[in-house]
Amino acid sequence: MAVRIITDSGSDCLQGDHPNLDVLPLSIAFGETTYSADVDLSRERFYELLVEGDDFPTTGQVNPYAFSQAIARAQEAGDDVVIMALSGKLSGTYQSAVTAAAEASDATEVHVVDTKSVTVGEHILIDYALRLVD
């Protein structure tokens, strides 16, 4: 049985970085336009929008449904799940993960970790977890 790590794009991890990693996008809004991080808004375009516009971006959490879908895909593959979310003090993403985990089937184990970090700190913890998975 494998272990699937699920995280949010606040970790600066990219989907495809590791076969046992799923990265769920935070939403990023510039004014009235909302994007999904690393899906329809590249990192390069993000910085271009910072320079081009007057609007400072805002972010939105990953919702429980997105976590539920990722958990279900992992469980269908027979994987245990460890969700590593950005700090619960900075975002509701951790609570979304807790909500989804509570509603997940008991087909495999699901654990949620508040990394108490974001970006570099969260990325380091995920890299370590993936080394343990390997």
Side-chain angles (χ1 to χ4, degrees):
M1 182 174 301
V3 175
R4 167 78 43 183
I5 305 292
I6 300 171
T7 191
D8 53 79
S9 61
S11 66
D12 280 341
C13 294
L14 291 172
Q15 186 65 37
D17 279 352
H18 191 280
N20 290 67
L21 178 66
D22 285 340
V23 182
L24 305 179
L26 297 170
S27 63
I28 301 173
F30 280 92
E32 298 296 316
T33 307
T34 302
Y35 305 92
S36 291
D38 298 321
V39 175
D40 56 2
L41 180 64
S42 70
R43 293 172 186 202
E44 293 79 15
R45 183 67 183 138
F46 172 85
Y47 289 109
E48 290 171 359
L49 288 171
L50 280 178
V51 172
E52 292 171 4
D54 295 329
D55 295 321
F56 196 73
T58 58
T59 59
Q61 70 193 44
V62 177
N63 62 48
Y65 179 75
F67 278 114
S68 293
Q69 294 298 300
I71 292 167
R73 285 190 303 272
Q75 288 184 322
E76 286 172 13
D79 296 344
D80 288 330
V81 176
V82 176
I83 301 172
M84 300 180 73
L86 66 87
S87 174
K89 292 188 181 207
L90 300 175
S91 171
T93 298
Y94 168 75
Q95 190 56 50
S96 290
V98 169
T99 300
E103 296 172 358
S105 80
D106 59 357
T108 64
E109 291 192 36
V110 178
H111 302 278
V112 181
V113 177
D114 182 345
T115 64
K116 301 186 186 303
S117 247
V118 68
T119 61
V120 173
E122 187 178 4
H123 193 113
I124 289 168
L125 292 171
I126 292 163
D127 282 345
Y128 182 68
L130 289 168
R131 281 185 282 161
L132 293 174
V133 165
D134 287 341

